Amino acid sequence: MSLSKFLKLLVNQYPFSMKKILLFTAFLALMVAAVPVSAQRYLSEVFSTVSTTQNIYYASNITVITGGPTVDSLVFDAYAPVGDTMAQRPVVIVAHTGSFLPSPQNGQATGSRRDSAVVDICRKLAKRGFVAIAMEYRFGWNPVATSQETRTGTLLNAAYRGIQDARTLVRFLRSDIASGNQWGLNGNKITVGGMGTGGYVAFGAAYLDSYDEINLSKFLSSQAVSFVDTSLSGDVEGKWSRPLNIGNYPNESSAINFAFNMGGAVGDSSWIEAGETPMASVGVPSDPFAPYNYGAVIVPTTGQFVVNVSGSRGAQVQMTRLNVNSSYDALTFVDPTSTQAATVNGGLNGLFPFFRAGAESAPWEFWDSTYWKNIPHPSGGNFHTVGLLTNPDMSRQKELAYIDSTLNFVVPRMVCSMGLANCAAATGAKEQLSANMTVSVFPNPSASFVNIAAENGGNMIEGVTVTDLSGRQVKLVGGLKSANYRLDHADLSPGMYFLTISTSKGIVTQKVLFN
């Protein structure tokens, strides 16, 4: 029962005066304040309920999934925390796997924005305080072509279209923000991530920024012509209208602030240049379809070679060499997942390898085994048994465990790279101290100001951050070097707030009620 409903019940049942009710409200608030503050927005799940809006149109574009060019409507599903009062939330776009073909044509039990892993990662991001978007992108290439050049050429064009679509979606969101912001987004806090094939899309959205990068020798036909013809397919951002591309929202920026991949690869490590988007990577070294370091992309349906690319480790080596991840690379993250990753990633702060006993591509995937057991697979058997070849102990519990590990690793780096609150908590910049042993905050509740006093000898107050219950920073005071400080809050609306007090001996968080 909410506090407001409880008070209403009291009013109906007992003849309390308004003054007594207000005093009782303050008492309840202080009782709540006595509970230690452990949940941190973004770093943990602070919302219990998520709203989902499906099939939101963001653009029309040309697809070749049917063989000939046709116009397709591109859509996404949005996941948002219920009860969130923050007006401008960071947004995370998630691209699904599927080998640029729909399931079951791709030979897999997965391959859409409604995959269990996509839904779960979006819901978990929303519970942390993000708005998460599960995007669809264009399909279409020829994995069964006898010619290796045809396979390479059609796949590269499919990846190119997927990258264009991710950037189109970014521009759509910025266009919506400018015209009403119906999802309450912050256009300067946008992340693109992806799993499997979606990892290729995320890498491209972060790093493919010039025609020269798709004109490397491995991307050329035997006639020394690029497989991607920009006169047909348009520019790398998808802003040009050409026979195989419809330019959408050309006046908006396609820039993103962070990226992450769960498997997949970047077309070439040379795409990654100094000063570009920071990124975090998880990958499976024994993935039979995409390289962990540098190597071949293999078609899941046929086992045939397509092109050599750089996987999670190869990409992170290049990022480290060029200081691309300077927004977080020098930080020490104190969460158990980052500590575990540091024991196996060879000093690459942006990499978490998931070592598995045998050939495995995506331990975070889950599918309905009852359904897929009844669908015959082209290679023999059924889709469920074929899927088990590269995910042998697939289960819902396993899926959620690997998604949690991924988010626990990726999100702290995302938080620090996008300048979100709680980066200090993620990195343990200062030790979190017990409030009742280090500072006093009084009066609480208070009408217009609170006194903050350092309790231990020699401890000095250095700064105070005030955030509301949604995690929004509403006041910041820095440059203090005092054992006592008076914080005026007459300019803030009445309500419950968090005071994060930085001292010379550590950080203290207290919950206070401003009347």
Side-chain angles (χ1 to χ4, degrees):
M1 181 182 295
S2 68
L3 179 60
S4 61
K5 289 183 178 179
F6 181 62
L7 291 174
K8 185 175 181 181
L9 179 63
L10 285 177
V11 172
N12 290 336
Q13 296 292 324
Y14 302 101
F16 284 175
S17 68
M18 182 55 67
K19 182 177 181 180
K20 287 182 178 179
I21 291 174
L22 290 176
L23 288 173
F24 189 67
T25 303
F27 170 74
L28 288 178
L30 288 175
M31 291 299 291
V32 173
V35 178
V37 179
S38 58
Q40 298 275 7
R41 183 175 182 130
Y42 310 128
L43 300 180
S44 57
E45 295 184 5
V46 297
F47 296 93
S48 59
T49 310
V50 174
S51 67
T52 306
T53 307
Q54 297 182 336
N55 302 319
I56 303 168
Y57 169 89
Y58 72 90
S60 294
N61 221 318
I62 309 298
T63 183
V64 297
I65 187 64
T66 57
T70 59
V71 177
D72 189 18
S73 293
L74 301 174
V75 298
F76 65 87
D77 296 340
Y79 299 77
V82 173
D84 188 15
T85 59
M86 182 178 284
Q88 295 185 333
R89 286 84 62 87
V91 57
V92 182
I93 297 170
V94 180
H96 60 80
T97 192
S99 302
F100 295 106
L101 291 170
S103 177
Q105 289 92 328
N106 60 10
Q108 302 165 243
T110 55
S112 84
R113 71 186 188 281
R114 303 284 170 79
D115 287 348
S116 179
V118 177
V119 172
D120 284 328
I121 201 169
C122 286
R123 286 183 58 82
K124 285 179 173 290
L125 283 166
K127 287 183 177 182
R128 288 171 176 252
F130 299 93
V131 174
I133 288 179
M135 69 170 292
E136 283 289 353
Y137 48 88
R138 285 173 287 174
F139 296 132
W141 68 294
N142 188 356
V144 296
T146 56
S147 165
Q148 188 265 322
E149 273 207 357
T150 302
R151 294 194 302 273
T152 299
T154 56
L155 179 61
L156 290 176
N157 276 278
Y160 191 77
R161 289 188 291 270
I163 295 164
Q164 288 177 320
D165 293 344
R167 287 172 165 167
T168 296
L169 177 51
V170 170
R171 296 197 302 274
F172 164 82
L173 295 177
R174 288 202 169 102
S175 176
D176 182 81
I177 290 169
S179 61
N181 200 4
Q182 59 184 309
W183 292 287
L185 306 181
N186 187 331
N188 296 316
K189 312 288 185 186
I190 299 179
T191 288
V192 174
M195 52 188 71
T197 306
Y200 293 89
V201 173
F203 268 119
Y207 302 120
L208 179 60
D209 59 3
S210 73
Y211 177 74
D212 290 341
E213 291 176 343
I214 56 171
N215 207 32
L216 303 175
S217 59
K218 65 181 178 181
F219 300 139
L220 303 181
S221 70
S222 55
Q223 287 75 41
V225 176
S226 175
F227 284 118
V228 178
D229 185 346
T230 55
S231 68
L232 294 175
S233 298
D235 62 311
V236 294
E237 293 190 63
K239 291 184 175 183
W240 301 349
S241 288
R242 294 293 187 268
L244 295 180
N245 184 71
I246 299 173
N248 292 280
Y249 321 105
N251 296 323
E252 300 292 344
S253 169
S254 305
I256 60 175
N257 309 100
F258 190 77
F260 70 90
N261 70 291
M262 302 166 66
V266 64
D268 194 82
S269 61
S270 66
W271 290 10
I272 303 168
E273 300 173 298
E276 293 190 324
T277 306
M279 190 168 187
S281 302
V282 301
V284 183
S286 59
D287 187 342
F289 306 127
Y292 171 62
N293 194 15
Y294 177 81
V297 175
I298 302 297
V299 183
T301 52
T302 64
Q304 293 177 309
F305 170 83
V306 179
V307 67
N308 285 312
V309 294
S310 292
S312 294
R313 186 183 185 281
Q316 285 294 330
V317 167
Q318 177 79 339
M319 292 177 210
T320 301
R321 185 176 71 83
L322 298 177
N323 205 26
V324 170
N325 295 332
S326 59
S327 56
Y328 72 79
D329 218 10
L331 303 178
T332 300
F333 295 95
V334 296
D335 60 279
T337 303
S338 293
T339 301
Q340 178 187 356
T343 66
V344 291
N345 63 13
L348 299 172
N349 198 7
L351 176 67
F352 189 6
F354 295 151
F355 288 98
R356 301 292 293 165
E360 190 161 350
S361 58
W364 48 81
E365 284 190 351
F366 172 76
W367 57 84
D368 182 351
S369 59
T370 302
Y371 174 81
W372 288 104
K373 282 178 181 178
N374 295 317
I375 309 298
H377 196 276
S379 65
N382 59 64
F383 273 77
H384 173 63
T385 56
V386 170
L388 292 179
L389 295 176
T390 52
N391 195 349
D393 51 351
M394 184 276 297
S395 71
R396 175 83 167 145
Q397 183 179 8
K398 177 186 175 186
E399 174 217 22
L400 293 175
Y402 276 94
I403 286 176
D404 283 340
S405 293
T406 296
L407 292 180
N408 290 339
F409 178 76
V410 168
V411 170
R413 289 151 180 80
M414 186 193 309
V415 164
C416 292
S417 295
M418 293 204 295
L420 299 175
N422 297 331
C423 178
T427 59
K430 286 205 172 187
E431 182 184 1
Q432 290 286 336
L433 303 177
S434 172
N436 59 10
M437 296 179 61
T438 55
V439 298
S440 294
V441 177
F442 60 92
N444 187 11
S446 80
S448 59
F449 70 91
V450 292
N451 293 306
I452 305 172
E455 294 290 314
N456 295 341
N459 195 14
M460 304 292 284
I461 299 166
E462 298 177 343
V464 182
T465 302
V466 184
T467 56
D468 62 20
L469 290 181
S470 72
R472 181 173 61 95
Q473 179 180 297
V474 295
K475 186 181 281 287
L476 175 65
V477 180
L480 305 178
K481 288 288 183 182
S482 174
N484 298 278
Y485 179 71
R486 171 173 162 154
L487 176 72
D488 293 309
H489 60 78
D491 56 329
L492 300 178
S493 301
M496 192 71 70
Y497 293 85
F498 291 114
L499 298 188
T500 301
I501 305 159
S502 178
T503 77
S504 55
K505 294 187 177 181
I507 289 178
V508 173
T509 301
Q510 282 212 27
K511 207 170 189 178
V512 296
L513 177 64
F514 294 162
N515 292 335

